[in-house]
């Protein structure tokens, strides 16, 4: 079978001229987009709050989220702030608030749908006033930023509908609204294309097939007609980044379904697991970089890249940094997709699932080094010194249930076929769904540091012939595929490499079976590709004071950095909101919240002239409600902090 390599199209991209998008860097005190600017840097150029005075922060005002939302509905939410006004989605409504007091200015009620994550702010164009756009799943709706009323001149009386689900609001680049589909993870279904719309009228400007059709770039990477009737490689995270000077947008795409078996989709499967650069105005292809060829691990790309210029060999290179679930960071020239510090196509192991197509190589960066562990040996199993005897016993029982012998070949370890009656033959793969997930990265443009939170975990199991009655996890129940990961209800089930014990309060606590740390905040110097520092992120209070400094899972949140030399982050399961020194990684401030801040913090200047830090603390919705002494807490809130008034 002929081996097909993805195109970088570097030379072609360099020869093209990209018109700049007519949109400037935000005012210093504003936070208009999810990651503040189009580059996705989450960098607030405000320095009132510094390393020296951050310990004086006090709560300024709070806005209670319930009964409007909470949990999964508001996890990941980041408001927009422009000219002292904050715009906040609440699930069943959108509100405008005074950003220095929290006083409600107007409320836009939403019927028969749910608005999550954010609203999109557009400043208008002189003739058209400022607008907000939201999406409940099947339509973009435009409302006035001044009043909250529907803008009836947009689309059909304020609405533009879709034929497939697009779960989150569009990103805005100049006067173009860009949105990616969140198609279901099934082997067949309708195409889910990325689309661009006119922000004034709602007119469709372009769409782009994320599963290339006949005659399109990348179509040849789908062998044996595996592209046919394949739903689009989805874009399931809720914003894109872009280079406004060059008119480029960067979207990150998920893996093609099914997640753990690809016998019906041989080939590299573009544009799955790819950073895709398009012309924002036309949707034309410019370049791509595929981080995984033929994904078999559900390691789809979550958050988009963060853009940062790097200095190398006396040259300034406009670059981007992309992270994802495998715990690797790719630093690429954002004009062409060419690696800045090198990427090697490394030989990886293959397994024996009938009909499966295994890529012989996968791209591994020369620098930075992996941000998460990718190799496993028996010495990596937790000890009583790490956790406790009960947890260690549970981990060894899990290992024993698989026969006690495991396969691990480092990065991209595959899973082997297990047939009924066979002795156990399990693989352990790191980092499972750890690495860098929803939270993505922040960057300080003044230093070239990129900040990313990572989780450590592993997966253990095999592939088996699919049982129509088996439980294969969320999103796979309706699949008709031939093989799948081990049934979650079967013996030796495919599972996370973790185990549970009962704490002193009688609660079940599930922790990884690899030795801590289980979560870190990492600073990478993008100029050199070296890790500048790595600090533990999160604790495990259930282990007691002497062992709780473990780092913890931080899948559902990300960092923000300020000109005051601080990195703020929630994200951790212990519910603590922290500030790190951006130069050293030292924790310089923290506060325990009622709910975990599973989102990205923000910073802005209020109408009173003060710098504020803000974050939505609403948990993730993936676990039990936060409990207080009198039962479930009802304190899901947007919380703000500021220095004391003079």
């Amino acid at each position: 079978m002929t081996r097909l390599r993805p195109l970088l199209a570097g030379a072609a991209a360099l020869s093209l001229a990209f018109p700049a998008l007519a949109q400037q860097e935000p005012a210093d005190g504003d936070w208009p987009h999810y990651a503040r600017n189009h580059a996705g840097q989450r960098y607030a150029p405000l320095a009132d709050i510094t390393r020296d005075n951050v310990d004086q922060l006090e709560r300024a005002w709070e806005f209670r989220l319930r009964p409007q939302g909470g949990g999964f509905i508001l996890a990941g939410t980041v408001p927009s702030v422009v000219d002292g006004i904050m715009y906040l989605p609440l699930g069943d409504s959108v509100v405008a608030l005074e950003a220095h007091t929290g006083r409600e200015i107007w409320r836009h009620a939403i019927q028969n749908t749910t608005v999550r994550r954010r609203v999109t702010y557009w400043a208008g164009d002189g003739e058209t006033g400022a607008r907000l756009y939201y999406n409940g799943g099947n339509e973009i709706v435009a409302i006035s930023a001044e009043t909250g009323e529907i803008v009836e001149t947009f689309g059909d009386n304020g609405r533009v509908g879709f034929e497939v689900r697009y779960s989150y609001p569009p990103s805005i680049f100049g006067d173009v609204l860009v949105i990616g589909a969140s198609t279901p993870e099934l082997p067949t279904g309708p195409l889910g294309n990325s689309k661009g719309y006119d922000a004034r009228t709602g007119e469709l400007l372009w769409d782009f097939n994320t599963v290339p059709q006949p005659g399109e770039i990348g179509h040849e990477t789908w062998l044996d007609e595996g592209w046919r009737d394949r739903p689009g490689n989805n874009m399931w995270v809720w914003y894109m980044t872009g280079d406004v000077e060059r008119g480029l947008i960067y979207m990150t795409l998920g893996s093609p379904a099914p997640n753990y078996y690809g016998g019906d989709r041989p080939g590299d499967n573009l544009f799955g697991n790819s950073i895709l650069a398009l012309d924002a105005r036309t949707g034309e292809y410019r370049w791509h970089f595929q981080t995984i060829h033929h994904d078999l691990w559900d390691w789809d790309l979550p958050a988009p890249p963060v853009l940062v210029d790097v200095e190398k060999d006396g040259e300034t290179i406009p670059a981007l940094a992309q992270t994802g679930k495998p715990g690797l960071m790719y630093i690429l020239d954002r004009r062409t997709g060419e690696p800045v510090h090198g990427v090697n196509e490394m030989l990886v192991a293959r397994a024996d699932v009938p009909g499966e197509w295994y890529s012989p190589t996968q791209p591994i960066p020369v620098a930075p080094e992996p941000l998460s562990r990718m190799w496993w040996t028996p010495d990596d199993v937790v000890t009583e010194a790490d956790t406790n005897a009960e947890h260690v016993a549970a981990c060894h029982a899990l290992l024993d249930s698989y026969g006690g012998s495991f396969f691990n070949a480092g990065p991209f370890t595959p899973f082997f076929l297990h047939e009924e009656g066979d002795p156990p033959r399990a693989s352990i793969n790191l980092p499972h769904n750890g690495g860098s997930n929803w939270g993505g990265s922040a960057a300080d443009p003044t230093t070239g540091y990129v900040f990313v939170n990572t989780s450590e975990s592993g997966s253990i199991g095999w592939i088996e012939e699919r049982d129509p009655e088996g439980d294969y996890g969320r999103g796979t129940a309706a699949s008709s595929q031939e093989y799948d990961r081990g049934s979650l209800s079967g013996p030796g089930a495919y599972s996370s490499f973790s185990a549970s014990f009962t704490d002193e309060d009688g609660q079940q606590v599930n922790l990884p079976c690899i030795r801590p740390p289980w979560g870190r905040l990492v600073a990478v110097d993008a100029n050199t590709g070296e890790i500048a520092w790595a600090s533990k992120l999160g604790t495990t209070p259930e282990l007691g004071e002497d062992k709780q400094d473990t780092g913890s899972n931080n899948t559902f949140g990300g960092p923000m950095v300020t000109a005051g030399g601080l990195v703020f982050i929630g994200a951790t399961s212990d519910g603590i909101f922290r500030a790190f020194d951006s130069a050293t990684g030292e924790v310089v401030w923290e506060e325990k919240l009622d709910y975990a801040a599973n989102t990205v913090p923000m910073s802005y200047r209020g109408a009173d002239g003060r710098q504020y830090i803000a974050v939505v603390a609403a948990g993730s919705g993936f676990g039990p409600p936060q409990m207080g002494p009198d039962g479930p807490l009802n304190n899901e809130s947007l919380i703000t902090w500021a220095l004391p008034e003079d």
Side-chain angles (χ1 to χ4, degrees), residues 14-357:
L14 282 172
S15 67
L16 295 170
F18 302 114
L21 297 176
Q23 196 144 333
Q24 302 299 315
E25 187 72 6
D28 285 354
D30 289 352
W31 192 288
H33 309 297
Y34 190 89
R36 188 177 177 273
N37 61 4
H38 292 307
Q41 292 172 335
R42 307 175 190 170
Y43 173 76
L46 303 175
D48 300 10
I49 302 168
T50 68
R51 306 173 180 91
D52 297 328
N53 62 23
V54 66
D55 60 344
Q56 300 175 36
L57 282 180
E58 59 185 22
R59 294 200 184 190
W61 58 268
E62 299 178 38
F63 187 85
R64 189 66 55 85
L65 303 177
R66 288 195 176 194
Q68 294 90 348
F72 183 72
I73 298 301
L74 292 177
T77 295
V78 177
S80 297
V81 174
V82 180
D83 292 334
I85 306 298
M86 176 180 288
Y87 306 100
L88 175 67
L90 296 174
D92 65 357
S93 59
V94 177
V95 296
L97 310 173
E98 282 185 347
H100 66 296
T101 66
R103 182 184 70 85
E104 188 170 318
I105 300 170
W106 55 253
R107 179 177 293 250
H108 169 82
I110 297 167
Q111 304 296 325
N112 303 318
T113 190
T114 300
V115 174
R116 299 187 286 174
R117 313 307 189 205
R118 66 182 181 94
V119 291
T120 302
Y121 178 87
W122 182 50
D125 59 4
E127 297 181 4
T128 304
R131 294 178 181 175
L132 303 173
Y133 303 88
Y134 66 81
N135 173 27
N138 294 95
E139 61 181 6
I140 298 176
V141 181
I143 61 176
S144 165
E146 182 179 0
T147 65
E149 297 175 346
I150 293 283
V151 178
E152 295 184 352
T153 57
F154 177 81
D156 183 7
N157 293 317
R159 303 172 187 272
V160 171
F162 311 125
E163 69 281 6
V164 298
R165 184 170 181 80
Y166 290 68
S167 294
Y168 306 111
S171 296
I172 183 82
F173 299 95
D175 54 4
V176 181
L177 298 168
V178 184
I179 196 163
S182 54
T183 47
E185 295 180 351
L186 297 172
T188 60
L191 284 174
N193 303 337
S194 297
K195 299 177 181 290
Y197 293 89
D198 187 305
R200 300 175 185 81
T201 66
E203 176 189 0
L204 177 65
L205 301 176
W206 55 262
D207 62 12
F208 185 92
N209 291 320
T210 58
V211 172
Q213 301 301 290
E216 296 178 343
I217 292 173
H219 177 70
E220 70 281 2
T221 67
W222 293 82
L223 307 179
D224 301 342
E225 296 195 329
W227 58 273
R228 193 176 295 278
D229 298 324
R230 185 79 51 178
N233 292 305
N234 62 13
M235 199 199 86
W236 56 267
V237 170
W238 36 93
Y239 72 105
M240 300 180 196
T241 53
D243 184 330
V244 296
E245 179 183 351
R246 295 170 178 84
L248 292 177
I249 56 173
Y250 307 102
M251 64 182 69
T252 48
L253 299 173
S255 54
N259 288 328
Y260 304 97
Y261 174 70
D264 64 342
R265 50 176 175 86
D268 280 347
N269 301 154
L270 289 176
F271 291 103
N273 307 88
S274 297
I275 310 162
L276 183 60
L278 303 180
D279 185 299
R281 294 187 183 278
T282 66
E284 293 179 358
Y285 169 90
R286 294 305 182 216
W287 61 261
H288 75 274
F289 182 90
Q290 189 175 43
T291 63
I292 302 176
H293 315 311
H294 192 80
D295 188 4
L296 298 173
W297 302 269
D298 190 24
W299 276 347
D300 40 22
L301 282 177
V306 59
L307 279 55
V308 60
D309 292 347
V310 303
E311 300 292 332
K312 184 180 179 183
D313 299 330
E315 179 187 1
T316 299
I317 302 172
L320 58 78
Q322 178 69 58
T323 57
K325 294 179 183 179
L328 300 172
M329 178 183 288
Y330 300 89
I331 300 176
L332 310 176
D333 187 320
R334 64 177 181 260
R335 298 167 296 187
T336 66
E338 295 284 354
V340 173
H341 301 299
V343 171
N344 290 328
E345 285 288 341
M346 304 294 291
L347 291 171
V348 295
R350 60 178 293 134
D352 61 351
V353 178
E356 185 58 271
W357 190 94

Side-chain angles (χ1 to χ4, degrees), residues 61 79 86 560 577 600-604 612-616 638-641:
W61 58 268
M86 176 180 288
M560 176 269 290
F577 188 49
V600 174
M602 62 185 300
S603 185
Y604 61 89
Y612 289 83
I613 306 295
V615 73
V616 169
L638 168 75
I639 305 171
T640 69
W641 292 264

Side-chain angles (χ1 to χ4, degrees), residues 615-644:
V615 73
V616 169
S620 69
F622 290 107
Q626 190 78 19
M627 302 298 291
D630 301 318
L633 295 173
N634 191 24
N635 296 335
E636 297 164 306
S637 302
L638 168 75
I639 305 171
T640 69
W641 292 264
L643 295 174

